[in-house]
Amino acid sequence: MLDWKVLVRFSEEQLSALDVAEVNLACAEGLPGAERINHAECIDRLNHYARSEKDYTERRMLDFYDKAEVYDGSEAKFRIVCMIRLLQRAFGIRYNPAKKPADAPFDAADTFIHGALMGEGGTCASLPVIYAAVGRRLGYPLRLVEAKRHLFVRWDEPGGERFNIEVNDRGADSPPDDYYRKGRYEISPWVEKSFCYLVSQTPRMELAGFLLQRGERWLEIGRYKEAAESFLWADSLAPHNKMYSFAAKQAMEIWKKKMREAMPPNAPEMTVQFPPCRRWPEAIPLGVEHFFMVFEAMEACLKEPRHQEWWEALRRSKGVPPKDMPWKIELRVKS
């Protein structure tokens, strides 16, 4: 099983040799509910889908030759239609109907592919990853693409065909890029460029997107350290995408506020000794890294079992410190 903390240090070339499904599942590791993920079964199912899809498409090729105009004369589009049809009809890969309302709550099973493979269904966060994973096993040049609050797949063959793949309950369509610039997906040119919307993602961009989703799940349950950590690693992988630095800043500001609320009155002064080695690549400003480490150390100190009597005494006495409490605490942070 892959470890996302190892993957974040991989190059594009190293990541490109990996299965996008395994990378996706690695980013779910540790989230609430992730302990129930059967990684081996998920990968076995994708392998089975791909083998079945290969046989199914080859048996249907005469349909393409007879009615090529239905598919705009594109064998690639025909192959995608066959793939989506088989995944939906034979294997039940579908959108989870309970998640269609705009206010439906999401958890890890709605965000990562195990929910679609072994649960009640997927969402636009997970289903495109399944399509890409199956298609790539068949040698199809499929890339993930992000739009506003939406993920889809694109057939993007270097020097060849390029078309978007939008899947619904009835099959697949291939809308142009402008479809994602208006209506429910409307974005300004600045946002499109700044957030790297409608760009065929590289493997590092894919990993960054999965880590953003990981961070969002942590943020929803109030785990601000884990959320900020995920967002910062996403930012280090794709620093040209302003979405990740924005998400990291927002998470750390909330974390800062929560830490101040949790700090008992008249707590001893805390100083932080930073490690000699950087934790994040240089794409992350050193000041941001230190900001994270300060609150990481403070949170650990507040949760330290041997300090609980101090904190409770301060809260009960409204700031009068116990006799054994030091006036200063030095906190050391590991790299």
Side-chain angles (χ1 to χ4, degrees), residues 77 80 143 145 152-156 162-167 172-180 198 200:
K77 289 184 178 180
I80 290 300
R143 308 278 289 277
V145 185
F152 63 96
V153 182
R154 175 180 291 152
W155 182 290
D156 199 346
R162 178 189 184 277
F163 58 89
N164 299 326
I165 302 164
E166 190 64 44
V167 180
D173 194 11
S174 54
D177 286 357
D178 281 345
Y179 170 79
Y180 302 99
L198 307 186
S200 294

Side-chain angles (χ1 to χ4, degrees), residues 145-200:
V145 185
E146 190 168 4
K148 180 182 177 182
R149 293 192 293 272
H150 186 61
L151 191 69
F152 63 96
V153 182
R154 175 180 291 152
W155 182 290
D156 199 346
E157 183 179 0
E161 285 190 80
R162 178 189 184 277
F163 58 89
N164 299 326
I165 302 164
E166 190 64 44
V167 180
N168 54 46
D169 293 338
R170 299 176 302 277
D173 194 11
S174 54
D177 286 357
D178 281 345
Y179 170 79
Y180 302 99
R181 295 186 172 110
K182 55 189 178 182
R184 62 186 294 191
Y185 304 117
E186 184 173 359
I187 50 176
S188 69
W190 183 89
V191 169
E192 179 179 337
K193 181 179 179 181
S194 298
F195 290 178
C196 299
Y197 287 149
L198 307 186
V199 174
S200 294

